[in-house]
Amino acid sequence: MILAHGIGSQHDLPISPFYAFSGAFAALFVSFLALGLLWSTSRFRGDRSGLALPVGLQRAVDAPVTRTTLRMLGLAAALAFVLHLVLGPDDPDRNPAPGAVYVLLWVGLVPASLLLGPVWRLLNPLRSLHRLLTRARRRGRPDPRPHPLPPRLGQWPAAAGLLAFTWLELVSPEPAARTSLLIALLVHVVVQLALAARYGERWFADGDPFEAYSTLLARLSPFGRRADGRLVLRNPFHGLDATPERPGLVATVCVLLGSTAYDGFSDSPSWINAIQTSPLGRTFTATLGLLGAVTLVAALYCLCAAATRLLSGPHPAPLTAFAHSLVPIALGYLVAHYFSLLVTEGPRTVSMALGTDNAPDPLPPLGPGALAVLQVTAVVAGHVLGVIAAHDRSVRLFPPARAVVGQLPLLALMITYTIGGLALLLN
């Protein structure tokens, strides 16, 4: 089913695997050599950089009426989704609710966050519901003080939430069925609001999986905030460099990478045959496959971090120091796997939501050759951007004599991820 498994089969794309693999290896290796020879000092300044945008524009963006309007839009969209889900037919070909979750939200947040920044923070209907519930609870009572968030919690809740969502999308027997979506929605809303009631609204920043997902992708947006709060136009690498080194950051990115890799692998005939004939059952076997893909991605990164520390010297946070370099890789995987889904199923979902009875069948936006080029380019470009981000961080943290040598494990990791990503696309 196309809504449950991304763009579906991409076998026999008209591009030579030899040229794809050799071109990817050459791009990574040449980038690594060029950076080692020409980039000896750190150039990225995180949230201290950026060209300040006009004050009038910032006032309009930060105006209470703007924020209120966006919150109302988020609530209206959530209400429309629930109404379609409850009252509409239990058929994803005639009900826009599954497409709203798996296409407009999950995939649509990618371009929205890249272009506009962490948009889900402003649209998140759970934030609005939490504020309404808090105001109702405060009437006639003293203002309750929320509990402090445990420092070690970090983004672990977001990683767990993203893993649960990808399980629903890729593993559950009926991901687009009304019952499945209603149960998932109810559990998500109850858990998020209960924890927000305990820890306050700041819970959503790292606890809501979609908000953390949007914020992470927004690190590569050309628009951002400086440390002083000014809205700026910036080099996306500066925003990426400002990614906080939080507990759970590695897990969050590895869930994105591993689940997308599993989505591509789950379409292969060998895996389909394996889960259909497994004595453990389809759902349990597919769950093991998803967990195995995420674990493999994480294990390779942890092994790379240990090797980097061995070659470059001790570092207080070897795992999180280079985790930001995985974000463009995850973005490349998301674009390669879900671009076609967004531009075909997205308009059809909107058409159904607006009440069009004769929604057209989705048509591929690109021919097979152009689609293959886009997919390979997205995967390779994501890894090259990851190499650049990792190199800049390396020359900042380690002495010059060890900075380049210490990146050899990272280069090996990038090549491994690239080979794996291209193999899934070109299988």
Side-chain angles (χ1 to χ4, degrees), residues 55-75 116 118-124 128 131 225 231:
V55 176
L57 177 60
Q58 176 154 352
R59 288 176 179 171
V61 170
D62 294 338
V65 64
T66 303
R67 300 301 177 99
T68 301
T69 301
L70 291 174
R71 287 197 296 269
M72 292 302 101
L73 286 175
L75 278 174
L116 303 175
V119 292
W120 193 245
R121 181 183 302 170
L122 302 176
L123 296 171
N124 191 351
S128 301
R131 291 183 180 183
R225 300 270 182 174
L231 187 65

Side-chain angles (χ1 to χ4, degrees), residues 42-55:
S42 176
R43 303 182 184 184
F44 303 146
R45 292 177 293 148
D47 57 7
R48 295 171 296 161
S49 65
L51 177 65
L53 293 172
V55 176

Side-chain angles (χ1 to χ4, degrees), residues 110 114 330-340 374-375 378:
V110 176
L114 287 177
L331 173 62
Y333 278 35
L334 289 168
V335 172
H337 281 271
Y338 300 123
F339 166 80
S340 182
L374 172 66
Q375 291 178 312

Side-chain angles (χ1 to χ4, degrees), residues 265 268-282 285-286:
F265 177 70
S268 64
S270 59
W271 180 248
I272 293 175
N273 180 67
I275 62 175
Q276 288 178 344
T277 59
S278 173
L280 300 176
R282 178 208 170 276
T285 304

Side-chain angles (χ1 to χ4, degrees), residues 80-92 94-98 178:
F81 165 75
V82 172
L83 291 176
H84 279 294
L85 183 60
V86 174
L87 303 178
D90 194 9
D91 180 0
R94 296 186 296 128
N95 192 326
R178 174 186 297 165

Side-chain angles (χ1 to χ4, degrees), residues 252-300:
T252 301
V253 182
C254 288
V255 167
L256 292 177
L257 283 171
S259 61
T260 308
Y262 175 78
D263 189 9
F265 177 70
S266 65
D267 187 53
S268 64
S270 59
W271 180 248
I272 293 175
N273 180 67
I275 62 175
Q276 288 178 344
T277 59
S278 173
L280 300 176
R282 178 208 170 276
T283 302
F284 189 77
T285 304
T287 301
L288 291 179
L290 175 62
L291 294 176
V294 174
T295 302
L296 178 61
V297 169
L300 289 174

Side-chain angles (χ1 to χ4, degrees), residues 53 61 70 108-123 210-225 231-232 234 239:
L53 293 172
V61 170
L70 291 174
L109 273 180
V110 176
S113 301
L114 287 177
L115 294 175
L116 303 175
V119 292
W120 193 245
R121 181 183 302 170
L122 302 176
L123 296 171
F210 300 107
E211 192 163 315
Y213 169 62
S214 174
T215 302
L216 194 60
L217 294 174
R219 293 292 172 183
L220 287 167
S221 172
F223 301 102
R225 300 270 182 174
L231 187 65
V232 296
R234 65 188 182 188

